[in-house]
């Protein structure tokens, strides 16, 4: 079993829809949770960084962490075609090691 | 402030050759990490350098090596290339080591194709 599981998609939604992206994990030591966006032929770009459980909002993006369920989510409101990309979750404990999900491909259709 | 830069962006090599990839971190960042990204395995940690010292290493064979210079620029070397080394190699930098709460920022990557 992988430490982090993420549905690869692709996930196709119409423009303006609310998108929900999710990851589950098995290591209860994870404390720091991140979401990255990666456009084709580019490096990952940090979108959200959260510590422990709860919600964090930044513009159209909301990151949610539920440590009791070992489940994290990224919500995108009013999705735009420019949001079409691969979204990677990442997490780490207090150590150096970042563990990444394999990414979910999102397509927002105009 | 300029982001993380990586050169070259694309490389084509043949089996058995060696390759050197370069990474320049964000100005002031002292930690540089290297990752291999493939469709099947996703992002996998190769190693981290901080202040010219390798601090951590992932589960890759000894053919993968790296170094960091006094200006924090880093190079990664892969010797005796294999077909399975074809991947996007990403460099990420941060102010503090990966063991801290600091976040890391990625470069655009070098796409290596081994024929």
């Amino acid at each position: 079993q992988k430490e982090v599981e993420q549905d690869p998609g692709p996930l196709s939604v119409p423009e303006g829809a609310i998108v929900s992206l999710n990851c589950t994990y098995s290591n209860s030591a994870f404390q720091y949770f991140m979401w990255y966006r990666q456009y084709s032929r580019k490096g990952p770009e940090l979108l959200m960084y959260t510590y422990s459980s709860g919600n964090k909002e930044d513009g159209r993006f909301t990151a949610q962490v539920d440590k009791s369920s070992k489940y994290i989510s990224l919500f995108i409101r009013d999705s735009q075609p420019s949001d079409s990309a691969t979204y990677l979750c990442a997490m780490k404990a207090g150590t150096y090691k970042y563990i990444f999900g394999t990414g979910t491909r999102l397509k927002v259709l105009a | 402030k300029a982001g993380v830069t990586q050169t070259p962006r694309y490389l084509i090599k043949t089996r058995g050759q060696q390759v050197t990839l370069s990474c320049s971190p964000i100005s002031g960042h002292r930690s540089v990490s290297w990752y291999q990204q493939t469709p099947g395995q996703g992002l996998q940690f190769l190693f981290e350098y901080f202040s010219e010292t390798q601090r951590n290493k992932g589960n890759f064979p000894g053919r993968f090596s790296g170094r960091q210079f006094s200006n924090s620029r880093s190079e990664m070397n892969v010797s005796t290339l294999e077909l399975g080394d074809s991947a996007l190699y990403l460099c990420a930098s941060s102010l503090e080591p990966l063991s801290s709460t600091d976040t890391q920022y990625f470069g655009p990557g070098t796409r290596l194709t081994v024929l």
Side-chain angles (χ1 to χ4, degrees):
Chain A
Q1 184 190 7
K2 287 185 176 180
E3 282 189 276
V4 178
E5 300 277 0
Q6 185 175 10
D7 188 327
L11 175 63
S12 294
V13 300
E15 184 176 356
I18 296 175
V19 175
S20 173
L21 303 165
N22 311 296
C23 286
T24 59
Y25 62 95
S26 57
N27 188 346
S28 57
F30 288 138
Q31 297 175 289
Y32 305 97
F33 304 91
M34 290 136 282
W35 285 96
Y36 287 85
R37 176 176 63 195
Q38 186 173 22
Y39 291 114
S40 181
R41 303 191 183 280
K42 300 280 178 121
E45 169 195 9
L46 181 66
L47 280 177
M48 302 288 279
Y49 182 102
T50 56
Y51 170 72
S52 202
S53 285
N55 291 0
K56 181 176 181 179
E57 190 173 317
D58 184 0
R60 297 185 295 113
F61 299 92
T62 300
Q64 192 173 79
V65 174
D66 182 348
K67 291 194 74 179
S68 61
S69 301
K70 296 190 181 68
Y71 190 87
I72 69 170
S73 301
L74 177 71
F75 298 97
I76 307 174
R77 290 184 298 281
D78 187 26
S79 56
Q80 303 295 311
S82 58
D83 294 327
S84 297
T86 296
Y87 289 80
L88 300 158
C89 64
M91 45 198 81
K92 76 182 195 87
T95 66
Y96 70 94
K97 202 173 179 184
Y98 279 71
I99 304 296
F100 286 83
T102 50
T104 299
R105 281 178 54 207
L106 171 67
K107 294 182 181 180
V108 181
L109 306 171
Chain B
K1 193 184 253 190
V4 179
T5 57
Q6 292 186 246
T7 56
R9 293 294 311 278
Y10 302 93
L11 263 180
I12 299 176
K13 293 285 187 179
T14 56
R15 277 181 299 175
Q17 286 187 309
Q18 75 165 21
V19 67
T20 300
L21 312 181
S22 181
C23 171
S24 292
I26 292 171
S27 177
H29 284 196
R30 296 182 295 166
S31 171
V32 173
S33 300
W34 289 90
Y35 294 84
Q36 182 194 66
Q37 187 177 34
T38 58
Q41 298 296 319
L43 266 165
Q44 293 186 285
F45 174 78
L46 279 156
F47 29 65
E48 177 201 6
Y49 286 87
F50 182 81
S51 295
E52 301 179 67
T53 302
Q54 186 181 89
R55 287 175 60 91
N56 296 292
K57 187 171 166 46
N59 296 326
F60 280 82
R63 300 186 296 107
F64 292 82
S65 63
R67 58 178 176 168
Q68 187 180 34
F69 302 95
S70 57
N71 61 358
S72 294
R73 190 177 70 85
S74 177
E75 287 182 347
M76 190 191 91
N77 185 273
V78 188
S79 63
T80 319
L81 284 166
E82 300 177 0
L83 294 177
D85 296 333
S86 294
L88 181 67
Y89 289 88
L90 290 159
C91 163
S93 78
S94 56
L95 276 167
E96 298 298 331
L98 290 182
S99 57
S100 72
T101 58
D102 196 17
T103 55
Q104 55 182 340
Y105 298 87
F106 284 86
T110 294
R111 180 153 311 270
L112 172 64
T113 301
V114 182
L115 302 176

